[in-house]
Amino acid sequence: MTKQIRLSAAQALAKCPTGIRGLDQITDGGLPRGRSTLVCGGPGAGKTLLGIEFLARGARDFGEAGVFVSFEERADDLAKNAFSLGFDLGRLVRSKRFAVEHIVLNRNQLLEAGEYDLEGLFIRLGAAIDAVGAKRVVLDTIEALFGVLTNEGILRAELNRLFSWLKDKGVTTVITAERGQGVLTRHGLEEYVSDCVIVLDQRVDDQIATRRLRIVKYRGSTHGTNEYPFLIDRSGFVVLPITTISLDYDSPSQFVSSGVGKLDEMLGGKGYFRASTIMISGTAGTGKSSLAAHFVDGSCRRGERCLYFAFEESPGQIIRNMRSIGIDLRKWVDRGLLGFHAMRPTSVGMETHISLMLKHIDDIQPRIVVLDPISSFEAAGTQLDAHAMLVRVIDLLKARTITTLFTSLATGAETTDQVASSVSSLIDAWISLRNLEQAGERTRSLYVLKARGMRHSNQIREFLLTDRGADLQDVYVGPGGILVGSARAAQEMQDRASAVASRREVEQKKGELERKHKAFAARIAELEAAYAAEAHDIKEAIVQEEGRLQGMLAGRSTLATDRQRATKGGRR
């Protein structure tokens, strides 16, 4: 009957955090505690520096003393190398948290024989571990210890013996090794007896060097399997854990102003979404950097930290140029709200650029980041490399709820370059700038190409750069379509002249109408007077005629009466 083995949480593989940014993420917590990790790579890959930082951070940040065993470099040289990473080994040694053992091996005295023994190394290493209570050990490099052995059986046995001794001591060990031809190490055996194997690599593509790290194996633990770019600078190792990036970042509903009021109106009256990615594209001289400067200026006015990555101009040049449109970026730099980082895209590899960006972002903790322009990365590598880099940058900044603005140089009639187009689906708001040619002159224009999640204008606006900043003119439609520049000014002048002539004509017609009205009123008054006089005469004639008729009727009545009387009198 097969016995089923169940591991409790307490029995699960314990981890020893390295403190190296990014490395603990891709190792899911650090190196295997109490076990050996092999770090191999070619010359200049950073093996020794990784070992030094592993011990120095353990002593300084985690309270775990360490012993560095060097078979090649002396203690003074190691201290100088560590100081370049910001670690004072002398101080750690004086505080009994760090020990350096420089062991010189005389290869002429080492014989390949069965009595080959590591007891001397174990005694000396054990004494150093006990002296400082070390929990961490680095052996640099293993080739110096076993380089004389050619018998594979003896070599494997001695390697197993060394690794077992270190495991019995309960120390977490990092062992460095040089790369071999077609194998990870020169002997091709160390990687098989190690619990964890890390490969450091430095490649040169198109005259640009890039450092990469890969975890080849990790017994008993999940880990990242890709190649990860890393950087060595004054703060030590910085590893970019690309595979930890996911699409579960927040999407705030708050808005952030573009810095140009009329542009905010085109974007629904509120500006960009917070933590969104904005693209400003256009040909040379259309005002891309000026809009970026407006965005930065407006953010700094709200008290938000901004980080400006410039890839074609120096910070001083940008500050000087923006002063011509009424934007003073120098005051924000002096107040610590604006930081610049200027570097040519071709100076380092794509991965190094990402590492440097992350380092500066971690140092400054900005709410706004500007990359000006991203199209210049096309010259630093292939389009695929540039696309991969920008995708990583966008995801990393979104995960940190940082609002990001890209500028991109377009050529000819294209909206933008190929690099920017390759990430167009990841852009939340896209502002396109163009030069319109009319009547022998070029005029800047602006329109919103896309704006996810918000109502936005579909009109093309004339874009002006004045000594008071950027301004957008309302759409002006003439007889032949939309007019800008001098054609617009000429049409406006013509329209004003036509308006004046129209008003003059209206006034003239109003005067003529008034005169006709008065003449008509006078004529009506004259006719009314004539009518009144004639009506009076007619009425008088009517009265007279009625009087005459009544007199005549009365006379006739009198005559009839008289006759009747006369007749009666005769009869009597």
Side-chain angles (χ1 to χ4, degrees):
M1 181 176 180
T2 303
K3 183 179 180 181
Q4 186 176 3
I5 300 176
R6 295 182 180 180
L7 295 178
S8 65
Q11 294 174 311
L13 180 64
K15 298 295 183 75
C16 178
T18 65
I20 297 174
R21 285 181 291 177
L23 182 57
D24 289 339
Q25 290 177 267
I26 61 178
T27 55
D28 195 20
L31 303 181
R33 182 173 293 279
R35 301 186 182 186
S36 299
T37 297
L38 179 68
V39 178
C40 54
K47 303 181 296 297
T48 303
L49 293 180
L50 187 146
I52 290 175
E53 184 166 355
F54 170 68
L55 295 183
R57 288 193 179 275
R60 189 188 69 180
D61 302 336
F62 302 102
E64 297 183 357
V67 174
F68 192 101
V69 180
S70 174
F71 299 106
E72 294 179 345
E73 295 185 80
R74 293 182 295 183
D76 292 343
D77 295 330
L78 290 173
K80 293 177 182 178
N81 296 339
F83 195 77
S84 66
L85 299 178
F87 299 105
D88 188 352
L89 294 189
R91 183 177 180 180
L92 294 175
V93 170
R94 290 189 296 271
S95 64
K96 303 297 183 181
R97 292 179 292 169
F98 196 98
V100 178
E101 285 291 326
H102 180 214
I103 300 177
V104 180
L105 298 176
N106 189 345
R107 300 194 178 194
N108 293 328
Q109 298 177 357
L110 294 177
L111 299 176
E112 183 179 345
E115 64 270 13
Y116 183 83
D117 201 351
L118 294 176
E119 286 300 327
L121 172 65
F122 294 159
I123 294 173
R124 188 166 177 178
L125 182 55
I129 292 174
D130 295 337
V132 296
K135 299 295 182 181
R136 305 184 181 204
V137 172
V138 172
L139 301 180
D140 183 44
T141 66
I142 199 168
E143 281 78 18
L145 186 61
F146 296 111
V148 70
L149 297 179
T150 58
N151 186 295
E152 185 175 328
I154 296 177
L155 178 59
R156 180 181 289 271
E158 292 301 320
L159 282 173
N160 283 324
R161 186 182 177 201
L162 173 63
F163 280 56
S164 297
W165 185 89
L166 292 169
K167 190 173 184 178
D168 292 340
K169 294 292 291 185
V171 293
T172 305
T173 308
V174 171
I175 300 174
T176 66
E178 299 176 1
R179 289 290 298 269
Q181 295 292 333
V183 290
L184 294 181
T185 61
R186 286 189 178 182
H187 300 108
L189 297 175
E190 296 93 326
E191 57 265 37
Y192 295 101
V193 296
S194 301
D195 293 286
C196 179
V197 178
I198 298 176
V199 176
L200 304 181
D201 185 23
Q202 179 170 307
R203 305 173 192 171
V204 179
D205 296 323
D206 294 330
Q207 302 179 359
I208 298 177
T210 302
R211 299 179 186 270
R212 291 182 175 89
L213 177 148
R214 181 167 65 96
I215 301 176
V216 178
K217 64 180 277 191
Y218 197 141
R219 290 173 179 164
S221 174
T222 59
H223 59 88
T225 57
N226 293 336
E227 284 190 324
Y228 304 95
F230 72 93
L231 178 69
I232 301 177
D233 60 9
R234 295 180 180 179
S235 62
F237 268 68
V238 180
V239 182
L240 182 61
I242 299 168
T243 55
T244 62
I245 297 172
S246 60
L247 296 176
D248 59 353
Y249 42 74
D250 294 331
S251 297
S253 300
Q254 296 81 17
F255 291 88
V256 55
S257 173
S258 67
V260 181
K262 291 186 178 180
L263 180 54
D264 289 344
E265 294 176 4
M266 296 181 67
L267 295 167
K270 299 179 181 179
Y272 309 118
F273 275 119
R274 170 84 58 188
S276 63
T277 304
I278 304 110
M279 174 82 76
I280 299 178
S281 63
T283 55
T286 50
K288 301 179 295 297
S289 298
S290 299
L291 278 183
H294 270 284
F295 185 47
V296 168
D297 182 64
S299 300
C300 291
R301 291 181 186 276
R302 296 190 300 271
E304 298 180 355
R305 284 194 181 92
C306 302
L307 181 56
Y308 198 116
F309 291 101
F311 303 114
E312 291 185 349
E313 296 180 278
S314 67
Q317 186 177 359
I318 294 173
I319 293 173
R320 181 204 64 189
N321 294 344
M322 294 307 111
R323 197 176 293 125
S324 66
I325 59 173
I327 299 178
D328 183 11
L329 297 179
R330 171 60 65 184
K331 63 181 180 181
W332 305 127
V333 175
D334 296 339
R335 295 179 188 179
L337 290 174
L338 175 60
F340 279 96
H341 176 70
M343 178 180 286
R344 291 288 184 188
T346 54
S347 59
V348 294
M350 298 288 187
E351 291 81 3
T352 305
H353 271 295
I354 299 177
S355 300
L356 288 172
M357 289 179 191
L358 285 179
K359 178 181 179 301
H360 287 286
I361 290 170
D362 289 338
D363 292 341
I364 297 178
Q365 295 294 317
R367 298 296 304 278
I368 305 295
V369 169
V370 174
L371 276 69
D372 179 31
I374 61 171
S375 50
S376 58
F377 283 102
E378 192 170 3
T382 65
Q383 182 180 343
L384 183 61
D385 292 338
H387 168 76
M389 173 208 168
L390 291 176
V391 170
R392 296 170 189 173
V393 170
I394 290 172
D395 284 340
L396 286 167
L397 295 178
K398 279 183 175 290
R400 299 176 183 222
T401 64
I402 295 175
T403 308
T404 309
L405 186 145
F406 297 149
T407 68
S408 176
L409 176 65
T411 57
E414 297 295 331
T415 304
T416 185
D417 69 301
Q418 293 182 350
V419 173
S421 297
S422 66
V423 294
S424 60
S425 60
L426 304 179
I427 301 299
D428 299 302
W430 194 331
I431 308 299
S432 180
L433 304 177
R434 298 172 59 189
N435 278 322
L436 299 180
E437 296 184 5
Q438 286 186 349
E441 71 172 5
R442 292 188 303 169
T443 307
R444 298 182 181 93
S445 64
L446 178 150
Y447 66 95
V448 181
L449 189 62
K450 65 183 288 189
R452 288 174 175 165
M454 68 176 69
R455 175 178 54 87
H456 60 277
S457 172
N458 62 353
Q459 294 180 331
I460 298 177
R461 301 289 182 89
E462 184 176 358
F463 177 46
L464 302 178
L465 290 177
T466 70
D467 55 0
R468 297 181 303 278
D471 188 23
L472 296 175
Q473 297 292 321
D474 294 333
V475 175
Y476 195 89
V477 182
I482 296 177
L483 299 177
V484 294
S486 299
R488 173 178 180 151
Q491 185 63 41
E492 286 179 339
M493 185 180 298
Q494 183 178 348
D495 290 347
R496 286 194 295 269
S498 298
V500 171
S502 297
R503 287 194 294 270
R504 186 181 300 114
E505 184 177 355
V506 169
E507 292 299 325
Q508 290 176 353
K509 290 185 176 181
K510 284 182 178 180
E512 183 179 353
L513 181 61
E514 183 67 22
R515 289 192 298 272
K516 287 185 177 183
H517 176 71
K518 291 180 179 180
F520 182 70
R523 180 61 178 162
I524 291 175
E526 182 181 350
L527 292 174
E528 287 179 346
Y531 169 76
E534 187 174 351
H536 181 270
D537 292 343
I538 293 174
K539 288 179 180 180
E540 287 293 330
I542 292 173
V543 171
Q544 291 178 4
E545 185 62 26
E546 288 178 347
R548 186 182 65 78
L549 181 60
Q550 290 178 357
M552 185 173 63
L553 292 174
R556 289 180 181 179
S557 178
T558 300
L559 288 176
T561 301
D562 288 344
R563 286 178 182 176
Q564 289 178 357
R565 289 178 180 174
T567 303
K568 291 179 180 180
R571 290 177 180 174
R572 293 178 183 170

